[in-house]
Amino acid sequence: MPRYKDIDAILKKLPDDLPYKASVKRVLMQAPEADVVPREECEKWYCEYHKIKDELRQEKEYHGATEKAADKYFTDLQTAKAEVAREIFEGLEKVFDDYGLEYFNSNLKRQIDEFILKYTEGTDGKQA
């Protein structure tokens, strides 16, 4: 692990005729090392952090747009269902108006089956 201070450089600066130089050297060598990370490594992790942060931001924006699209689809689907139901009821009212109640009572099943067929099956005969 790198030292916070370079002990060898400090010892070189001390004068050779210093009477307690050996004691200073011993104290410095026994001093605990600082938990220091080299600047290059810090810069690398700093860049990685910001890269991940940007990716998360983009993902959040993507999911926000996807949720908006899903909400719009759901709203459009509900509107389409309401329009289909309105068409069905308008068709039933037309049957009432065109044929009268006694005809409707006698042909109720056939007319309702036609509407069900029209709105539940596609052109190829499969469920819509």
Side-chain angles (χ1 to χ4, degrees):
M1 176 181 302
R3 292 183 179 270
Y4 184 68
K5 299 265 186 190
D6 186 6
I7 294 174
D8 295 328
I10 294 172
L11 291 174
K12 286 179 185 177
K13 290 181 182 180
L14 293 176
D16 288 334
D17 59 344
L18 192 64
Y20 51 87
K21 185 174 182 179
S23 299
V24 170
K25 183 177 181 180
R26 188 173 5 90
V27 168
L28 287 174
M29 295 305 262
Q30 291 175 352
E33 294 180 353
D35 189 11
V36 178
V37 178
R39 181 178 186 87
E40 298 81 28
E41 192 172 337
C42 290
E43 289 173 355
K44 178 184 111 180
W45 288 112
Y46 182 80
C47 291
E48 284 294 319
Y49 163 76
H50 283 288
K51 181 179 169 186
I52 291 170
K53 186 177 171 183
D54 288 340
E55 288 174 3
L56 290 173
R57 181 185 48 78
Q58 290 173 356
E59 188 173 329
K60 183 178 179 183
E61 289 172 0
Y62 169 77
H63 286 297
T66 303
E67 285 178 9
K68 285 179 185 175
D71 290 345
K72 183 179 181 327
Y73 172 77
F74 181 74
T75 303
D76 292 347
L77 180 64
Q78 296 302 322
T79 302
K81 285 180 180 180
E83 289 175 13
V84 168
R86 187 172 42 253
E87 286 182 30
I88 290 171
F89 289 121
E90 286 172 359
L92 289 172
E93 287 176 358
K94 186 175 183 325
V95 170
F96 276 125
D97 293 343
D98 290 348
Y99 300 106
L101 229 151
E102 53 282 338
Y103 176 82
F104 181 75
N105 286 336
S106 64
N107 293 302
L108 177 64
K109 175 90 169 105
R110 184 180 61 79
Q111 291 293 325
I112 290 176
D113 287 344
E114 285 178 15
F115 283 118
I116 289 172
L117 182 65
K118 180 179 177 183
Y119 290 105
T120 60
E121 292 188 9
T123 55
D124 58 357
K126 295 181 179 175
Q127 289 288 329

